[in-house]
Amino acid sequence: MSETLESIALAMVATGKGILAADESSGTIKKRFDAINVESTEDNRRDYREMMFRTTDAMTNHISGVILFDETIRQKGADGTPLVDVIKAAGALPGIKVDGGAKELAGAPGEMITEGLDGLRDRFAQYYKIGARFAKWRAVINIGENIPSTYCISTNVHALARYAKLAQEAGIVPIVEPEVIMDGSHSIERCEEVTETTLIALFDALREQEVNLEGCILKPNMVISGSTASNRAGVQEVAERTLKVFKRTVPAAIPGIVFLSGGQSDLEATAHLGAMNKMGPLPWKLSFSYGRALQAAPQKAWAGKADNVPAAQAAFGHRAKMNSLASKGEYSTDLEK
Ligand code: 5MM
């Protein structure tokens, strides 16, 4: 079958597979490496990421695609093979983060707007040539006193839709990521309200700008209590409220929803995904596109030492497998042993 936006999107959410978000920008990867006492050099970043891309079983059976940062999509592995080819050889799709990061939104203290639309058409053409078949753009929606404002939500979803349309024009499937941030002491009800409002606005904007929904993947937050809330909601409540909001707002034409982990522990992120997939049938595939929840364990096991590569690959493979099971509704915490 020839490659279409729809066929790429379906491959991204193939049964039992999800996405590895390895697109940490320079500042974020430095923060992750600082935590394991590893210097953030170009070689260390390459070695670390190559180690994951060469975890064959995980990459072939549980990971459909990898979101890369600009540096990584151009990098070669230690033996000179482009990392894009290492990913493709494992049977996964290379993807690219194209946003320029979230910056302060003018005149709106505490709120952010994602930049990066200028020159995006040319960048997409270049990334397509390098091998990217999907892309990612993340919008940040903070919850706080009197925020988010309608202004913040509408400017961010407008930018997401403009990015998505440009991606599709280039033959690249857009992952649209409106992240309602978990930081704060807000209740799960407040997260539910903000997530619902954001998703309604997002799908209005996608429709207005004539984005092809069948060739688009949604990467949202789960509906969850603020990280410092008292009485944080349990797994079942998170699963029920998240699905309630999605059923109200996400058209069935979207082939898949892949969650971000957003600061949840890796076990929490897997348990929530597993609980939701036990509540089917659902109109869309429900899988993962985790950064921290897939990488925290391998980063700790690796700690920058070549001798630790097998243990780090085992840790990455385990989390990929647990999340794969969760995406099929076959996960239980006993399997962690
Ligand atoms: C891997 O982290 C991604 C890039 O973050 P920065 O641009 O801030 O460096 C991030 O966008 C990520 O793809 C999503 O937030 C999902 O990752 P988590 O860690 O939330 O699962």
Side-chain angles (χ1 to χ4, degrees), residues 21-29 32 67 69 97 99 101 136 138 177 179 219 259-263 289-295:
D23 58 315
E24 298 84 358
S25 51
S26 313
T28 306
I29 194 71
R32 306 278 179 262
I67 314 173
F69 186 53
K97 183 236 293 290
D99 66 64
K136 189 199 90 172
R138 171 173 171 257
E177 179 178 357
E179 177 173 1
K219 174 165 174 170
F259 288 103
L260 58 92
S261 56
S289 173
Y290 296 154
R292 284 163 286 181
L294 277 172
Q295 296 186 58

Side-chain angles (χ1 to χ4, degrees), residues 19-25 49 53 59 65-75 83-85 87 93-99 127 130-132 134-136:
I19 290 167
L20 166 64
D23 58 315
E24 298 84 358
S25 51
R49 287 168 169 150
F53 307 160
M59 291 293 296
V66 185
I67 314 173
L68 302 166
F69 186 53
D70 182 76
E71 173 186 87
T72 322
I73 203 167
R74 301 170 193 279
Q75 245 171 355
L83 292 181
V84 162
D85 291 344
I87 292 168
L93 290 163
I96 181 75
K97 183 236 293 290
V98 296
D99 66 64
Y127 286 137
I130 301 176
F134 71 94
K136 189 199 90 172

Side-chain angles (χ1 to χ4, degrees), residues 166-178:
L166 281 164
Q168 292 187 334
E169 183 189 76
I172 290 180
V173 169
I175 294 184
V176 290
E177 179 178 357

Side-chain angles (χ1 to χ4, degrees), residues 37-170:
N37 288 316
V38 174
E39 200 190 338
S40 184
T41 62
E42 198 176 328
D43 280 356
N44 283 342
R45 293 191 290 271
R46 189 267 322 273
D47 288 349
Y48 166 66
R49 287 168 169 150
E50 185 174 8
M51 167 189 85
M52 288 188 290
F53 307 160
R54 289 196 186 275
T55 306
T56 324
D57 175 57
M59 291 293 296
T60 304
N61 298 314
H62 310 311
I63 301 291
S64 58
V66 185
I67 314 173
L68 302 166
F69 186 53
D70 182 76
E71 173 186 87
T72 322
I73 203 167
R74 301 170 193 279
Q75 245 171 355
K76 292 192 165 82
D79 69 357
T81 313
L83 292 181
V84 162
D85 291 344
V86 174
I87 292 168
K88 287 203 256 180
L93 290 163
I96 181 75
K97 183 236 293 290
V98 296
D99 66 64
K103 308 284 156 60
E104 284 175 17
L105 177 64
E111 301 198 282
M112 316 290 279
I113 181 73
T114 302
E115 294 187 347
L117 288 169
D118 288 352
L120 189 53
R121 174 176 276 134
D122 294 340
R123 287 167 58 218
F124 270 135
Q126 199 187 91
Y127 286 137
Y128 187 91
K129 272 195 201 137
I130 301 176
R133 288 296 175 271
F134 71 94
K136 189 199 90 172
W137 178 289
R138 171 173 171 257
V140 168
I141 311 291
N142 288 322
I143 296 184
E145 220 182 309
N146 299 321
I147 61 170
S149 62
T150 306
Y151 162 42
C152 169
I153 292 176
S154 65
T155 46
N156 272 291
V157 298
H158 183 81
L160 273 165
R162 282 198 61 200
Y163 138 82
K165 193 69 185 172
L166 281 164
Q168 292 187 334
E169 183 189 76

Side-chain angles (χ1 to χ4, degrees), residues 141 143 147-154 156-157 178 180 189-205 221 223 244-246 248-250:
I141 311 291
I143 296 184
I147 61 170
S149 62
T150 306
Y151 162 42
C152 169
I153 292 176
S154 65
N156 272 291
V157 298
V180 176
E189 288 84 358
R190 180 79 179 122
C191 178
E192 181 177 320
E193 182 184 39
V194 173
T195 303
E196 184 167 337
T197 305
T198 302
L199 290 175
I200 290 170
L202 173 66
F203 285 100
D204 281 351
N221 54 285
V223 172
K244 181 172 86 179
V245 169
F246 290 173
R248 287 180 173 181
T249 57
V250 183

